[in-house]
Amino acid sequence: MKNMKKINVTSSSMPPFEEYIEKIRPLWDSKWLTNCGSMHNLLEEKLQEYLGVKNVSLFSNGHLALYTALNSLNLTGEVITTPFTFISTTHAIVQNGLTPVFCDINPDDYTIDVNKIEKLITDKTSAIVAVHVYGNACDVEKIEEIAKKHNLKVIYDAAHAFGVKYKGRPITSYGDISMVSFHATKVFHTIEGGALIYNDDSLKSKIASLRNFGLAGQDQCDYIAMNAKMNEFQAAMGLCNLKHIDEEIEKRRRVVLRYQENLKGIKGIKYFQVQDNITPNYIYFPIVVNEEEYGETRDRLMERLADENIFSRKYFYPLTCDFKCYKDKGYRGDVEVARKIAERVLTLPLYASLTEEDVDRICKIIKKSEV
Ligand SMILES: *Cc1c(COP(=O)(O)O)cnc(C)c1O
């Protein structure tokens, strides 16, 4: 093969080694490694400031944060959600004893189709769990209107939406609670980690208790809950990464622009434009392959890239409702658009240190020109 440099779909951002070492050095004196240590508390504060939001509660990972968000709002019965997401979203609903009802997505930005939500609402519906998929913002205004009208809670899986703004306002300030993921593969990371973001101050102590076994002091336990605390090594990584986050996002932006220039006008290859009024974070670069126009399936393109040591990902495929653990459960849902997209979508490599030459090499293969 002509060019064997391996390109993975993602590569974690790392702070300079010395910065991390300096940051964790004090832990050898304090020996305070978890349970709301000083780095944990500082990271919560810094994130509130950076994101411009009222309350941030840190977690050991995004999934437990989302699980806890649903647990904290006393939901019952059915929850309207999207199957075009990472499996975590659906698991968090089902693990809370709730029934997911799958709503289709809109064909422009792949977020939940707000015109199809209302007909799924019954007297059992207690919430909407929507996803800002690929950092694309849901129609938060319409969702708010529907939720008010039917007295529903709104939880956003904003795992992809760190730092995204809508009309200058943080996207995570919409809804009752938003969850962001700080997994190693996300734009901002704490190795593993995540957070809940919410406006209602009265949730703060409940959420703190729910991430620590439901305890409230040494001899009081009010809730049946998880252990989901972020430790000091994770928080230290977060503090280091936060210093560099703006540069990281700028580098990602350049990669995305390079892809867009390269892929413009290729028949059968569609990519997103940034939505109106949105400040994006450039977390993913998904393309949708239309076999009839492109002359090749998504899977074939993925194979051809892999032959050149370039690893893309079918993200998201299959729909969560089509995984073995859910497909025979009889959950309601009409998800034709989502299924069609899932069968055609391919997420291309994107990370801050990907070079323009790397992008050009990937795009040459997509353009089927000589490499
Ligand atoms: C990453 C991700 C999660 C889970 O976050 P973790 O921090 O990995 O637990 C949930 N939902 C979506 C859409 C994700 O991409």
Side-chain angles (χ1 to χ4, degrees), residues 60-66 84-89 131-133 157-160 179-186 192-194 283-284 315-316:
S60 53
N61 61 63
H63 180 71
L64 287 174
L66 185 60
F84 191 73
T85 180
F86 184 53
I87 194 69
S88 167
T89 319
V131 181
H132 300 305
V133 65
D157 179 333
H160 299 173
M179 177 277 286
V180 282
S181 165
F182 305 151
H183 184 259
T185 56
K186 303 296 201 303
E192 292 268 3
I283 186 168
Y284 296 113
Y315 197 63
F316 295 100

Side-chain angles (χ1 to χ4, degrees), residues 8-10 83-87 110 133-134 160 284-289 297-306 310-320 323 338-349:
N8 276 322
V9 69
T10 186
F84 191 73
T85 180
F86 184 53
I87 194 69
Y110 311 153
V133 65
Y134 307 129
H160 299 173
Y284 296 113
F285 194 80
I287 58 172
V288 174
V289 182
T297 62
R298 177 267 314 265
D299 289 9
R300 179 68 196 124
L301 174 57
M302 187 181 181
E303 272 170 26
R304 283 203 302 114
L305 288 164
I310 294 163
F311 298 94
S312 54
R313 194 171 157 199
K314 293 187 241 180
Y315 197 63
F316 295 100
Y317 173 86
L319 298 179
T320 64
F323 275 109
R339 198 166 278 126
K340 196 168 143 189
I341 301 295
E343 279 161 7
R344 296 167 181 213
V345 73
L346 190 66
T347 296
L348 299 179

Side-chain angles (χ1 to χ4, degrees), residues 34-36 58-59 68 205-218 220-230:
T34 187
N35 288 64
C36 296
L58 298 175
F59 281 79
T68 301
S205 60
K206 184 171 186 186
I207 287 174
S209 170
L210 289 176
R211 74 180 170 198
N212 189 27
F213 302 100
L215 292 167
Q218 288 189 24
Q220 190 183 336
C221 186
D222 299 341
Y223 311 107
I224 302 167
M226 298 287 179
N227 173 14
K229 302 183 299 290
M230 178 181 282

Side-chain angles (χ1 to χ4, degrees), residues 5 7-8 251 255 259 348-359 362:
K5 178 181 161 197
I7 301 178
N8 276 322
K251 286 181 192 161
V255 173
Y259 268 125
L348 299 179
L350 171 56
Y351 44 89
S353 59
L354 195 69
T355 66
E356 297 197 331
E357 292 71 41
D358 293 333
V359 176
I362 295 165

